[in-house]
Structures are given as structure tokens and as C-alpha cells.
Amino acid sequence: MLQEAPTSKASRARFITFEGGEGVGKSTQVKRLLQNLQRHDIEAVRTREPGGTPKAEAIRSFILQGRSESWGPGAEAVLFAAARLDHVNQLIAPNLRNGTWVLSDRFHDSTRAYQGLTGGVDDKLIAGLESLALDGHAPDLTIILDMDPEAAFKRVAERAIEDGLALTGDRFEKEELEWHKKLRDGFLSIARDNPDRCVVISAAQSEDTLEAAIWEAVTQRFPELLRGSQA
């Protein structure tokens, strides 16, 4: 379960999610945004999906090991929704009520993109599961990190070689390249349909440059961050 020590209370807690395909650097940038918020005296926690709570982490392990693959994307969507419901009830909602910002590495848009737009699960089922699991806790901002899947996987492979690690794929990383291209199109479609919530940022740049672009997007959406630092 990923959580980090908070700093101070914010006048209004915000919920920010990171989305995108495999290997685009979401986890790294969630950590960096958390650090930037804490430097501005914003109390924040980071988490991930599927996961974030013990029950949700158990579902994560079950899915990513490929044990649910034979059940089909519809059943996987239900499992993700069950994990998300616990995540919202046990971690996200309580922190937001207490004035703590929440940063999540993936949230409901991943179910839309993976099981819905890419997996072919009916929109009505996706919408119904989403309504149940979110219980009104939609993100204030969603940052979609966009990158050509072939380039993303090449980057992952190069870093694995540098670190001396074996390159293994989970349930979704093992899908064919065309599947991942369709997934990328799914996330971009979500961004087009939700321009007030979603910001697309190219992940095909250095980690430092990407961090700066994300911080700019966050402060444009929540200008009180900069006003507070000038007080």
C-alpha cells in the first residue's frame, strides 16, 4: 500500500490522477509531484490502482498475475471496480475530507481505457461500475502521460538492462503492440471527451522536463498553489 507522510493541511483538498499506457513514467512523476506539493506545504498522499488498501492490493495481485485473464475483460472490470470501491471508501474519501490532497497512479479512466475502449466492455456496464465505485469522488485533475507504445517499451527495456533486471511483463504488459496502440488511442479519446478535467502531456522527454510540465499544468489548474507560496 503506497502512502507517504503528510506535511500541512490545505484549505481545499484536491484529487489528482495520473493515466497513460505502460512504461510512460507515471509512478516516477506521482512521486515527484508529491514532493513538489510538500515543498509548498501541501499535505498530500500518493496511492495507486489497482491497490491502495490491503483488500485492493490483493485484487491487484490476482489480476496482474494473469489469474483473471480467462474470465474476460467484463469480469476484470468488475474486479477493478470492487478494488476501487474499497480504495475510495478507505483511503481516498477520508483523506480528502481531512484536507489532504490525494495523488493516484491510475484511477477510473484506466478501466474505461483498458476494459472499455480497448477490451470492448459495454459502455453502460463501465458507467454503472464507475458510478458505484466513485461514489461522487471524481478527480479534480487527470494528467494523461502520452507516448508511442513502441518507444515506451524500448525505454523500459533499456532501463531494465541498465539496472541488471530481468524484463518480465504483467497481465497487460504482455499484450501485443497493436493492443497497446489501441490503448493509447483510448486514453486520448478520454482526454478529448473530458477537456475540463484531463490534460495530455508528452512523456517522450526527460524526467526533469516532464516534471516541470506537470507542475505547470497543476499550478495552472490550481493557482492557489502559487499564491500560497508568495504569501
Side-chain angles (χ1 to χ4, degrees):
M1 181 169 60
L2 298 178
Q3 297 187 56
E4 302 242 349
T7 52
S8 65
K9 295 288 183 185
S11 58
R12 180 184 174 189
R14 306 288 187 172
F15 181 23
I16 302 175
T17 57
F18 283 69
E19 298 284 3
E22 306 294 334
V24 297
K26 296 180 303 301
S27 299
T28 296
Q29 294 303 325
V30 170
K31 293 177 185 178
R32 289 187 175 214
L33 178 57
L34 178 73
Q35 293 167 353
N36 279 323
L37 289 172
Q38 291 178 334
R39 279 193 285 269
H40 285 75
D41 295 322
I42 297 297
E43 181 173 340
V45 296
R46 70 183 178 99
T47 186
R48 68 179 182 180
E49 284 217 348
T53 66
K55 291 178 181 178
E57 289 289 336
I59 294 175
R60 175 190 181 91
S61 178
F62 183 83
I63 294 174
L64 296 187
Q65 288 175 9
R67 296 166 66 186
S68 64
E69 185 174 4
S70 63
W71 298 4
E76 285 185 332
V78 173
L79 288 172
F80 280 121
R84 184 164 301 123
L85 179 62
D86 190 68
H87 191 202
V88 168
N89 289 340
Q90 300 300 321
L91 190 150
I92 295 171
N95 275 291
L96 293 174
R97 283 196 300 268
N98 291 334
T100 301
W101 290 43
V102 177
L103 312 180
S104 185
D105 180 351
R106 297 200 182 281
F107 195 57
H108 71 301
D109 289 314
S110 280
T111 300
R112 290 187 187 184
Y114 279 76
Q115 284 73 47
L117 297 172
T118 305
V121 176
D122 184 77
D123 288 344
K124 292 182 179 179
L125 175 58
I126 294 292
L129 292 172
E130 185 176 294
S131 177
L132 173 67
L134 268 62
D135 192 26
H137 295 88
D140 296 296
L141 172 65
T142 296
I143 297 169
I144 297 177
L145 300 185
D146 179 55
M147 189 174 183
D148 176 75
E150 190 168 6
F153 280 111
K154 181 179 179 182
R155 176 191 286 180
V156 170
E158 289 173 348
R159 289 178 179 173
I161 292 172
E162 290 175 1
D163 296 337
L165 302 174
L167 186 62
T168 59
D170 64 25
R171 157 74 180 86
F172 299 105
E173 290 171 343
K174 292 180 179 179
E175 294 284 357
E176 297 293 331
L177 181 60
E178 289 304 314
W179 188 94
H180 286 282
K181 289 180 178 180
K182 187 176 179 180
L183 177 67
R184 180 192 188 189
D185 291 340
F187 278 116
L188 294 176
S189 175
I190 290 170
R192 288 192 297 271
D193 291 342
N194 299 272
D196 294 336
R197 175 173 62 84
C198 298
V199 174
V200 178
I201 300 177
S202 172
Q205 50 192 324
S206 72
E207 290 181 353
D208 290 345
T209 303
L210 182 54
E211 176 186 350
I214 290 170
W215 183 245
E216 181 179 2
V218 170
T219 54
Q220 284 182 352
R221 186 61 57 94
F222 311 121
E224 66 269 20
L225 285 171
L226 295 182
R227 289 199 297 268
S229 66
Q230 295 168 357

